[in-house]
């Protein structure tokens, strides 16, 4: 598995995802922000990636990653990041 490619895709998706989730967090509360980071924000980031960097999908496809596989990896990594943050937010 090419970790560099996954890391690059993860960062590209989550830059937009993080901005979207922070916006939701400031509008509502931190729980909604974390929820959006793990769920809908991934699709917002994917849409931005599709809109601005659509040609890079060929690179990932040549490395053996489908769009669905990349989304699954991002979703799992976001859960790994967000679960400890949610536990900390609940403790405060």
């Amino acid at each position: 598995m090419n970790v560099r490619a996954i890391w690059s895709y993860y960062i590209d998706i989550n830059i937009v995802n993080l901005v979207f989730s922070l916006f939701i967090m400031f509008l509502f509360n931190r729980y909604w922000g974390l929820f959006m980071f793990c769920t809908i924000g991934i699709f917002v980031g994917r849409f931005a990636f599709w809109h601005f960097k659509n040609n890079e999908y060929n690179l990932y496809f040549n490395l053996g990653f489908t769009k669905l596989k990349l989304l699954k990896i991002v979703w799992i990594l976001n859960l790994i990041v967000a679960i400890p943050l949610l536990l900390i937010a609940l403790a405060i």
Side-chain angles (χ1 to χ4, degrees):
M1 187 179 294
N2 194 338
V3 177
R4 270 186 157 169
I6 292 171
W7 181 249
S8 175
Y9 185 76
Y10 181 75
I11 294 296
D12 287 340
I13 293 292
N14 277 323
I15 288 173
V16 176
N17 183 5
L18 187 61
V19 171
F20 174 73
S21 299
L22 287 173
F23 179 72
I24 296 296
M25 185 179 73
F26 288 126
L27 282 180
F28 299 104
N29 60 23
R30 60 183 168 226
Y31 305 114
W32 278 106
L34 286 171
F35 177 73
M36 290 297 163
F37 182 75
C38 289
T39 57
I40 297 171
I42 295 171
F43 296 107
V44 172
R46 185 198 176 279
F47 176 76
F49 188 86
W50 171 78
H51 186 70
F52 294 112
K53 296 183 174 186
N54 193 23
N55 291 334
E56 286 188 24
Y57 276 123
N58 292 332
L59 168 82
Y60 295 113
F61 185 73
N62 288 338
L63 291 173
F65 296 112
T66 62
K67 292 178 184 179
L68 183 61
K69 188 174 182 179
L70 288 168
L71 278 177
K72 285 180 186 178
I73 292 170
V74 170
W75 183 72
I76 289 169
L77 290 174
N78 279 357
L79 280 179
I80 291 170
V81 169
I83 287 175
L85 291 175
L86 181 61
L87 293 175
I88 291 170
L90 288 173
I92 295 176

